[in-house]
Amino acid sequence: MTGLTAELVVDGRDPRTPALAPNGRLLCYVLTPTSRTGDHLDTELWLVDTDGVVASRRATGDTATESRPRWSADSQTLFFLSDRTDRGTPQLHGLTLADGTTTTLTSWHAGVIDHLPLTDPNLVALLAENEPTERDARCARDRDDAIVVGEGEPRARLRLLDLRTGRVTTPDVFADRHVVEIRQRPDGGPLAVLTAAGADNDYGPRTGQLHLFDPTTGTAENLGPVAADARSLAWWPGEDGWHLGYLALTPPVLQAGTALFDLAVQSRVLRNRTAGLPMCPTELCQTDAAPLVVFADGLNATLARLGPTDLTTLSHHPGRLDNLTATPGGEEIAVLTGTRYQPANVHLGPPTGPLRSITDSRPELDGIAFGTQQPLAYRAADGLELDGLLVLPVGRSASEGPFPLVTIVHGGPYERHADRLQLSWSPSAQWLAAAGYAVFLPNPRGGQGHGHHFAAGVAGRVGQQEWTDILTGLDLLIAEGIAAPDRLGIAGWSHGGFMSAWAVGQTDRFRAALVGAGVVDWGMLAATGENGQFEAALGGSTGWSGIGPHPHDAVSPISFASHIRTPVLIVHGAEDTNVPLGQAVYLHRALRHFDVEHEFVIYPREGHSIRERQHQLDVLHRTRAWFDRWLRP
């Protein structure tokens, strides 16, 4: 066994978005570097023969960002996006398997956002913004480019590419709405089209509508509004005609569990097919008959088939199942999944299992010693059942405690710690375990995996019961002799960063904290973050709700800054639009005002996630050094 290094963490390559050919004989996936060294993320397309006779091979040889592999109905052509010609501007390409040639199929100046090969072999549906006009080019050249908010905002439009002529046409449908997703009926019928009023994440997700579009006649029909944040369209036949399903937030609040909605197209009857379930649907996968549904189920995952009246469980899997793809008949699936000590790889098999791994993208981790990871189950103060994970220091057992312990809170809050390998550039359990720390990964209420009501419990009440949920688990680990009560740290990114900032304003039990891209003022975030209305649902109010104090003031860490005595490491991306940098500046200034020991680090060019290699390395080294400084004897 060898030791874990920061370079091993950030220099890996991970498979993404597997696409199983309709005939089931080939699979394509995107191989994506964990970090970026230049201005562009150079990805690769790889092909795998599902029978295992021929080794995996690269589909293309260009240096480019390649993404979104999709197969033609006859499995003979692989369509994908690539910016090989003009970096940063993806175009549609086609790889013909018979002769191995790759053809550039579009030259759309604005670039192609997404695509869907249709059952008509001559047509591909595209999503792309409008081409710049001559006036646009002139204004950009002359710098006469004032932005009038609400006018000329970029929106994805549905377009049709005729492969025979290379011509792209834009049907005159959906008015000025932004097209989010498309899915064709399995029998070659109309396209289901999901639209929003605009591409703005703050406003668009609450304005979704569902449409039908006939690519033969060019006509469209509006099926009406959908619940917030709708996605993952799928068709299936029923005794009463065709049904159309999608995943969306359970109404009426925006902090809620995701539900599977079933629309009978002919009668317009809409049903929530997952109401009351103690699981959360994460993906809906279309087949010719009944669709497949992936559920976050506590720390693990469940795969089910949606029948006319019920859900049939097909298999259970440890950790997560992501990017599910299936043959048209649904008899074979491919998915990304891993284990506690192995990163996610592409797995293949029947939906009932077992699944076999057909990729091995991180062989360099095979000889690494990892800390023992074990699931936790306990009850909150009010009796609610909770779960989480404990990762012990490498080479140590629980009986050798107590250990210095860092609590890492997940983001979202509608996310979760699943029972999978806890290794990434952000605060991660195995990175800290390699340095001798025990790590507690709690799943407090508000997260995914326990149904709608569990998730909705924090709406307008962030930092309340979710905070006591975390404390209850921490006290349990102290009582069991695993955590040293005088050597506790807390860390998190995004909502986890909020919880870290919240924690040190509520207690002095922690000797060090890491606030990564964290929220410190919910009113400010609702006003300036890209998901403002969702943030307002979490914080409970907005600044324009009248003269304060407002409900969000009571759940904002900045309101308790005068109580903080714990040393805090603040790290944030300079270009973060999800949780803007101003949140970190606000905390920094407050801590400086109250003379609290802290370090404030800004990463240029970075958004909500840190992408550049040197920055990821800095996060890893700086995080461990910070906790070493304060938690070591």
Side-chain angles (χ1 to χ4, degrees), residues 410-482:
H410 65 67
Y414 194 56
E415 248 297 342
R416 62 174 177 145
H417 290 301
D419 197 3
R420 59 172 177 166
L421 179 64
Q422 300 294 327
L423 184 65
S424 73
W425 59 265
S426 61
S428 61
Q430 291 294 351
W431 175 243
L432 291 172
Y437 294 95
V439 183
F440 173 40
L441 304 166
N443 283 326
R445 71 194 74 197
Q448 188 182 64
H450 296 281
H452 162 64
H453 293 292
F454 185 91
V458 301
R461 300 189 296 277
V462 286
Q464 305 301 300
Q465 287 176 300
E466 61 177 324
W467 166 233
T468 58
D469 290 350
I470 293 169
L471 282 183
T472 299
L474 184 58
D475 289 339
L476 177 65
L477 294 175
I478 292 172
E480 293 180 349
I482 294 170

Side-chain angles (χ1 to χ4, degrees), residues 609-622:
S609 295
I610 305 302
R611 300 300 186 192
E612 294 187 21
R613 181 179 185 272
Q614 291 303 127
H615 292 162
Q616 289 185 353
L617 288 171
D618 186 82
V619 171
L620 288 169
H621 290 305
R622 193 177 298 275

Side-chain angles (χ1 to χ4, degrees), residues 450-531:
H450 296 281
H452 162 64
H453 293 292
F454 185 91
V458 301
R461 300 189 296 277
V462 286
Q464 305 301 300
Q465 287 176 300
E466 61 177 324
W467 166 233
T468 58
D469 290 350
I470 293 169
L471 282 183
T472 299
L474 184 58
D475 289 339
L476 177 65
L477 294 175
I478 292 172
E480 293 180 349
I482 294 170
D486 60 342
R487 290 187 289 163
L488 300 176
I490 189 165
W493 203 271
S494 193
H495 190 83
F498 153 71
M499 286 304 304
S500 186
W502 177 261
V504 296
Q506 306 301 310
T507 181
D508 59 2
R509 295 177 64 179
F510 298 102
R511 291 184 59 183
L514 166 66
V515 177
V519 183
V520 301
D521 188 303
W522 288 102
M524 181 176 163
L525 187 62
T528 62
E530 65 185 38
N531 301 296

Side-chain angles (χ1 to χ4, degrees), residues 70 114 116 127 158 174 178-186 190-196 208-213 223-227 229-236 243-248 258-263 265 270 282-287 289-293 306 324:
R70 309 267 197 273
D114 203 354
L116 180 69
L127 296 187
L158 174 66
F174 316 133
H178 170 67
V179 180
V180 177
E181 186 179 338
I182 53 178
R183 183 77 61 216
Q184 187 170 30
R185 210 168 69 187
L191 275 65
V193 182
L194 178 64
T195 71
Q209 292 185 8
L210 200 54
H211 314 257
L212 298 182
F213 172 73
L223 299 180
V226 294
D229 208 24
R231 59 182 176 82
S232 202
L233 299 175
W235 288 91
W236 67 91
H243 286 239
L244 186 54
Y246 58 88
L247 304 183
T258 301
L260 194 169
F261 292 93
D262 171 357
L263 175 67
V265 175
L270 181 69
T282 60
E283 293 187 21
L284 186 59
C285 180
Q286 177 171 301
T287 69
L292 301 173
V293 190
L306 182 68
L324 177 66

Side-chain angles (χ1 to χ4, degrees), residues 42-63:
D42 298 328
T43 62
E44 301 171 359
L45 293 184
W46 283 72
L47 288 171
V48 184
D49 289 277
T50 58
D51 58 12
V53 174
V54 180
S56 298
R57 59 202 183 275
R58 240 190 113 172
T60 58
D62 297 276
T63 299

